[in-house]
């Protein structure tokens, strides 16, 4: 199993600027053996991660800085919003990141959901089924731009290209679709995705989504095993279970969202042994890449995961 890190917060825990801490942390994570690094594609911090007025680095700008400072980790947005960029421009930006990173880019993409951001930058927020059709169109357009000889023309339901020159061409950029919508998103995943990601779900919920995905693969004539399964889970580690939950609660106090009650699934919150056991449950379901998301980049969780968990699973 490979391990990833979801860098959702730009909390630094020292006096470094957020952008510098991002690069330093990415270098450290690569040195510690992480295989995959992601940033959120949002305009400001989400309420369940922090506050709107926190420092927040744009996704592809941040990934470009990380690409220059690392050598091995795969890099992606988790996930790119299908509507924040013209799709032809997105194809160029992602292929440029792939060139800068030496072929380490994954296009993580989703249909978008945060309507307040759409309003803030003055773009329409279509209904869910239309957003999914637009996402499908964008994936097809990007694939055409990357694989067909320039100049590339494409005519889709919503988007088009007319003699686009896109060079250099990437060798292979995997498509990651994020989300668990059973009728639309997982069907699109079965049709187009090389990777699939679902955040914040219990092993039982993940198993159910896998069953749905398998059915969509059968309908689409796609091999289920061709899709790499990934999961992103909030993780907090301490010596004692109670201390881990107290740390989680303290970290969540620095957000605009209510803390998830203890009787509900918070993620993997506990001792190194408990976290390792939880990861093994996801691995047994067929997860290829397990991604941790420590709230506020909690330093102790990162240290304990590297020192006490990674080699145990």
């Amino acid at each position: 199993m490979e391990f990833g890190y979801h860098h959702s917060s730009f909390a630094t825990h020292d006096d470094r600027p957020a952008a510098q801490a991002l690069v330093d942390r990415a270098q450290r994570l690569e040195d510690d053996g992480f295989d995959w690094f992601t940033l959120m594609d949002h305009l400001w911090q989400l309420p369940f991660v922090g506050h709107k007025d926190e420092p927040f680095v744009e996704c592809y700008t941040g990934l470009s800085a990380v690409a220059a400072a690392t050598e091995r980790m795969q890099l992606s947005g988790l996930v790119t919003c299908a509507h924040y960029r013209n799709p032809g421009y997105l194809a160029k930006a992602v292929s440029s990141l792939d060139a800068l990173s030496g072929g380490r880019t994954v296009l993580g993409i989703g249909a978008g959901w945060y309507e307040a951001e759409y309003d803030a930058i003055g773009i329409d927020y279509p209904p869910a089924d239309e957003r999914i059709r637009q996402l499908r169109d964008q994936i097809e357009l990007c694939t055409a731009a990357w694989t067909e000889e320039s100049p590339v023309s494409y005519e889709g339901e919503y988007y088009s290209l007319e003699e686009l020159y896109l060079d250099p061409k990437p060798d292979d950029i995997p498509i990651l679709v994020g989300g668990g919508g059973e009728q639309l998103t997982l069907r699109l995943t079965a049709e187009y995705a090389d990777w699939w990601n679902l955040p914040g779900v219990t092993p039982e919920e993940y198993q159910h989504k896998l069953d749905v995905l398998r059915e969509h693969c059968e309908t689409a004539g796609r091999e289920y095993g061709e899709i790499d399964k990934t999961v992103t889970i909030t993780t907090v580690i301490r010596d004692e279970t109670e201390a881990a939950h107290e740390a989680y609660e303290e970290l969540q106090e620095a957000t605009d969202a209510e803390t998830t009650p203890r009787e509900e699934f918070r993620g993997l919150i506990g001792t190194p042994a408990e976290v390792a056991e939880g990861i093994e449950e996801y691995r047994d379901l067929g997860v290829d890449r397990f991604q941790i998301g420590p709230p506020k980049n909690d330093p102790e969780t990162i240290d304990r995961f590297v020192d006490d968990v990674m080699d145990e699973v």
Side-chain angles (χ1 to χ4, degrees):
M1 175 184 281
E2 295 185 352
F3 291 108
Y5 188 93
H6 186 43
H7 195 284
S8 60
S9 171
F10 290 91
T12 63
H13 304 282
D14 55 36
D15 59 358
R16 288 174 299 170
Q20 184 60 54
L22 162 68
V23 172
D24 293 346
R25 188 172 295 110
Q27 289 176 317
R28 178 258 167 102
L29 292 167
E30 181 171 80
D31 291 343
D32 285 336
F34 284 83
D35 301 291
W36 178 35
F37 183 91
T38 64
L39 294 178
M40 296 197 299
D41 188 28
H42 286 288
L43 305 180
W44 58 70
Q45 188 55 271
L46 299 179
F48 47 84
V49 181
H51 306 301
K52 286 182 178 180
D53 59 354
E54 292 180 10
F56 196 86
V57 176
E58 191 275 328
C59 179
Y60 282 96
T61 308
L63 289 174
S64 293
V66 171
T70 58
E71 298 178 351
R72 183 184 53 79
M73 290 191 299
Q74 290 183 281
L75 309 172
S76 69
L78 196 69
V79 288
T80 308
C81 177
H83 300 98
Y84 291 171
R85 299 164 189 84
N86 173 279
Y89 182 85
L90 176 64
K92 181 62 178 179
V94 174
S95 65
S96 296
L97 178 63
D98 195 62
L100 289 168
S101 66
R104 293 185 284 132
T105 300
V106 177
L107 174 57
I109 193 164
W113 62 272
Y114 197 13
E115 190 172 0
E117 288 184 335
Y118 285 70
D119 293 341
I121 58 175
I123 58 176
D124 293 336
Y125 183 70
D129 59 339
E130 184 174 350
R131 298 201 307 276
I132 291 292
R133 292 196 302 271
Q134 290 170 337
L135 175 58
R136 176 181 282 106
D137 211 354
Q138 289 213 10
I139 292 172
E140 292 182 352
L141 182 150
C142 287
T143 301
W146 295 334
T147 59
E148 296 180 12
E149 184 178 350
S150 294
V152 180
S153 295
Y154 169 85
E155 189 66 39
E157 182 180 0
Y158 295 95
Y159 307 110
S160 63
L161 298 174
E162 185 173 349
E163 297 192 351
L164 172 71
Y165 285 83
L166 191 149
D167 294 288
K169 299 287 186 184
D171 290 332
D172 181 27
I173 297 179
I175 303 294
L176 177 153
V177 173
E182 297 182 8
Q183 298 302 315
L184 300 175
T185 302
L186 290 180
R187 183 174 66 188
L188 183 141
T189 300
E191 294 170 347
Y192 291 96
D194 302 295
W195 296 21
W196 169 63
N197 180 265
L198 190 63
V201 292
T202 66
E204 293 77 17
E205 291 168 330
Y206 197 83
Q207 177 65 74
H208 170 70
K209 299 295 185 180
L210 288 175
D211 292 340
V212 175
L213 177 60
R214 190 188 299 272
E215 292 176 0
H216 283 303
C217 285
E218 292 176 357
T219 301
R222 177 87 183 278
E223 287 292 332
Y224 171 80
E226 292 179 1
I227 301 171
D228 284 7
K229 287 78 176 178
T230 75
V231 65
T232 303
I233 300 295
T234 298
T235 308
V236 177
I237 304 174
R238 294 293 187 269
D239 285 331
E240 303 293 337
T241 305
E242 178 67 20
H245 280 280
E246 290 175 354
Y248 167 85
E249 290 160 2
E250 182 177 349
L251 290 163
Q252 285 301 113
E253 286 179 0
T255 74
D256 290 328
E258 294 184 3
T259 301
T260 303
R262 290 199 188 192
E263 62 269 18
E264 299 180 14
F265 182 70
R266 291 176 158 182
L268 296 185
I269 315 296
T271 66
E274 289 169 336
V275 170
E277 182 179 356
I279 292 172
E280 289 172 355
E281 289 189 61
Y282 291 98
R283 182 183 60 188
D284 291 345
L285 296 177
V287 169
D288 299 290
R289 294 175 182 84
F290 183 91
Q291 189 176 50
I292 65 169
K296 302 294 183 182
N297 299 307
D298 178 51
E300 184 171 349
T301 293
I302 298 173
D303 291 343
R304 300 301 300 273
F305 188 83
V306 171
D307 295 338
D308 302 327
V309 177
M310 289 182 76
D311 291 337
E312 300 301 319
V313 292

